[in-house]
Amino acid sequence: MAARLATGRRLCVLERGKEWAPGDFAVGLADTLAQFRSSAKPDGLFDYRIGATVDVLSGNGIGGTSLINCGVVLAPDRDVFNRWPQAIQNRLRQRRDGRLRDTGTHHAGRRQRRRGRCPAQELVSPLERQGTPAPGIAVTPRAMPIAVNLRRYRDAPNAQGVWQAACTGCGDCVTGCRVGAKNTLDVNYLPLARSAGAEIFSRMEVDWIERLPDGRWRLHVLYRADGGATVQRR
């Protein structure tokens, strides 16, 4: 949304977490546990919230949860949008297969079908290629489309001018890509927003929002400097 709103406007994006470089991500279990966010470590990457019925794990940093998700990109089923605004439901009905796809995902899906494989196919183990379920798994695994740079950029800038390497198949997508191959928002959509004029600030946690007498709004934020010092700003 930031990239779409930035054109012709003054737009500021505030991110509570810090900016993560590929070499900053965890190596091993001990590193991963040390990067959980807490009051003692407010800039931790993993923000885990426990709810009554649902727990949520989100990413804390420039790029958000895209830093720690699996990178799987699937068009949602039609039933997902039954309670969404009518305009979106009308758009769904216009799609032949009843799925909501943006242009990029739609064309990517067609290319994958023509090739007879999805982008993750070359990363699937020989056991999975044979269609044999792994021990203890009741379903047959299959490759999914993933938002990972497999071979398009090899130690070169991508379309937004951000350096990327090719995937090595390490499987560390959910703890942070240390290679620089994962297509997280900080290497594509946010640079696109910045090129359109958006200003992006990290380590800015919004505390509360105040409406001023003249109708404008004031944000009260906590700036957490590197090292843990906290400064309140308006």
Side-chain angles (χ1 to χ4, degrees):
M1 182 177 291
R4 298 180 183 182
L5 292 176
T7 303
R9 298 180 177 90
R10 291 189 62 190
L11 182 68
C12 173
V13 178
L14 301 182
E15 166 58 48
R16 180 185 61 190
K18 67 178 185 178
E19 187 170 7
W20 293 82
D24 295 335
F25 294 115
V27 180
L29 179 60
D31 274 356
T32 301
L33 295 176
Q35 288 186 359
F36 270 78
R37 185 174 183 269
S38 65
S39 57
K41 190 176 180 61
D43 61 349
L45 175 61
F46 304 98
D47 188 8
Y48 187 59
R49 306 292 181 97
I50 300 176
T53 57
V54 176
D55 292 356
V56 176
L57 176 64
S58 59
N60 184 44
I62 296 290
T65 306
S66 71
L67 298 173
I68 61 169
N69 63 22
C70 295
V72 176
V73 284
L74 291 175
D77 292 331
R78 185 171 185 171
D79 293 345
V80 172
F81 297 95
N82 283 344
R83 296 185 180 182
W84 282 51
Q86 192 61 46
I88 294 179
Q89 295 189 46
N90 292 341
R91 184 180 175 190
L92 278 171
R93 282 193 286 269
Q94 295 172 2
R95 302 292 185 180
R96 289 180 300 176
D97 60 354
R99 293 180 182 274
L100 181 65
R101 294 191 177 112
D102 61 28
T103 303
T105 305
H106 182 62
H107 290 306
R110 288 194 298 184
R111 288 196 299 269
Q112 292 157 18
R113 288 192 292 272
R114 285 200 300 267
R115 294 171 182 166
R117 65 180 186 178
C118 69
Q121 190 67 49
E122 61 192 69
L123 301 180
V124 179
S125 69
L127 180 64
E128 291 172 328
R129 288 197 188 101
Q130 295 171 7
T132 304
I137 299 179
V139 296
T140 301
R142 60 190 177 93
M144 294 284 103
I146 55 176
V148 174
N149 172 49
L150 298 181
R151 54 183 176 270
R152 183 175 183 182
Y153 304 107
R154 297 181 181 274
D155 296 327
N158 63 15
Q160 305 307 326
V162 180
W163 174 90
Q164 281 194 274
C167 178
T168 62
C170 68
D172 290 339
C173 300
V174 295
T175 55
C177 179
R178 293 180 54 83
V179 178
K182 190 177 175 186
N183 291 326
T184 50
L185 295 182
D186 58 320
V187 302
N188 45 52
Y189 206 65
L190 288 176
L192 182 63
R194 186 183 292 113
S195 66
E199 296 180 89
I200 302 173
F201 298 91
S202 63
R203 302 178 181 272
M204 292 284 191
E205 181 175 356
V206 177
D207 191 24
W208 59 290
I209 302 175
E210 175 188 9
R211 185 162 190 173
L212 302 178
D214 60 4
R216 294 183 300 167
W217 297 87
R218 174 183 291 157
L219 299 181
H220 296 255
V221 302
L222 299 176
Y223 171 68
R224 303 187 186 278
D226 192 10
T230 302
V231 179
Q232 188 168 16
R233 295 184 175 181
R234 295 181 177 181

